[in-house]
Amino acid sequence: MQTGTSSPPLKDSFGREVHYLRLSVTDRCNLRCRYCRVDNSFIPHERIMRYEEMEKMVGLLVPMGVSKVRLTGGEPFVRKGFPGFLARLRAAHPDIDLRLTSNGVMLAPHASLLKDLGVRVNLSLDSLRPERFAAVTGRDLLPRVMEALDALQKHGVPLKLNAVAMRGVNDDELPDFLRLAAERGLDVRFIEFMPMGEGTLWSDSTYWPAQEILQEARHLVELGPAESNAALDGPATMHAIRGTKGRFGLITPLSCHFCAGCNRLRLTSDGRLRTCLFDDREYSILPLLRRADITEERRMELVRRIVERAVQRKPIGADILAKRRNEVARRTMTSIGG
Ligand code: SAM
């Protein structure tokens, strides 16, 4: 559903162009990761965007310069009808770079569809040990994630595996993750633990900086330069694991931010635009999308203006973090869409 004609690319006041939408399809999740969410409260159903509304938003944003869309959550697959939504998005936008972030628990049966639709997948997995996986995520479901990994590889879906790096939680598994990358010819990336949402496992002592991870990895395997591909690797710094097809990467939102090149816009499942992970300012568009007293054309024009205004005010996240070291953003990753 492509609405509107092409317009100049969305640009913020620092001259950064926005090309990348991270769209949270639900705040619900089938895991209870202790680094991500602490309570069981969910946004009521009627305040969640309908698929049709999300399709309208993508239809508005693509002509405004968005060429990459990542579907995230919560866990996208827990929302009923998600595979159909993916297929409709692909049909409406055959040329966009369509991606998905998932914990993999419900993914395996859909691997061939993902391949057919040309969807790239980031699979989140923080521990390869069943008891620890259960302790961190609150669910004893590691085998289901490993099934997803097998299915994605079997069908040749472009894939990256992401682990949140947590000192004292999974730091002793670095050798196992490196082995997994090497044996399966996979990209495995460690993401620095971010202070998002109150009451999570985040603290100065669980924060494991990328520099330390890299040093520890260099003691375990021989790392070499990896061909860099900014479009595919995003903000990750990748290293080849010598003698294998595996690569090891680090994503450093805290120790070495990538704000200067940030091209992202987030849309939460309750229809709020967020221009920076660390900025709690949000721009609500759902009430506008549902206004019954104006025409569709007028509605979308008003939404477009909000998008432009929000992007204009996109901040430098590192400045926000520098001011509030050890404080956390109000919203958890699961409600923003990590
Ligand atoms: N359920 C999906 C999944 O698990 O991939 C998508 C949503 S999840 C919020 C997206 C990503 O955010 C996951 O890779 C998760 O590990 C990561 N994440 C959540 N909280 C985080 C935090 N405090 N710091 C760094 N990454 C975090």
Side-chain angles (χ1 to χ4, degrees), residues 22 24 26 28-31 33-37 70-77 100-104 122-126 161-166 191-197 200-202 253-254 266 277 332-338:
R22 294 175 73 103
S24 173
T26 176
R28 290 167 200 246
C29 191
N30 43 6
L31 298 182
C33 300
R34 295 179 58 219
Y35 57 81
C36 185
R37 90 173 321 143
R70 176 177 298 284
L71 303 171
T72 178
E75 171 53 32
F77 282 104
L100 165 71
T101 300
S102 169
N103 61 31
N122 280 4
L123 188 65
S124 307
L125 176 58
D126 313 295
L161 197 146
N162 288 335
V164 179
M166 293 170 282
I191 313 175
E192 281 178 343
F193 193 1
M194 292 182 276
M196 302 297 301
T200 73
L201 284 179
W202 196 90
L254 295 195
R266 289 184 156 79
L277 200 48
T332 56
M333 288 290 267
T334 192
S335 70
I336 297 170

Side-chain angles (χ1 to χ4, degrees), residues 109-164:
H110 306 288
S112 81
L113 175 74
L114 296 172
K115 175 67 182 170
D116 292 346
L117 297 179
V119 177
R120 298 180 167 271
V121 175
N122 280 4
L123 188 65
S124 307
L125 176 58
D126 313 295
S127 174
L128 301 169
R129 301 184 190 172
E131 320 76 62
R132 184 173 292 164
F133 180 95
V136 171
T137 68
R139 302 281 188 272
D140 188 6
L141 291 171
L142 178 60
R144 297 267 292 273
V145 186
M146 296 312 286
E147 253 176 60
L149 179 58
D150 290 339
L152 288 165
Q153 288 206 293
K154 181 176 144 214
H155 289 279
V157 178
L159 168 70
K160 291 169 195 157
L161 197 146
N162 288 335
V164 179

Side-chain angles (χ1 to χ4, degrees), residues 265-279:
L265 180 64
R266 289 184 156 79
L267 183 54
T268 63
S269 55
D270 55 346
R272 291 160 195 268
L273 288 167
R274 217 178 146 109
T275 59
C276 171
L277 200 48
F278 300 120
D279 184 5

Side-chain angles (χ1 to χ4, degrees), residues 184-204:
R184 289 184 178 243
L186 254 184
D187 272 13
V188 170
R189 294 128 35 112
F190 271 49
I191 313 175
E192 281 178 343
F193 193 1
M194 292 182 276
M196 302 297 301
E198 281 157 12
T200 73
L201 284 179
W202 196 90
S203 75
D204 265 345

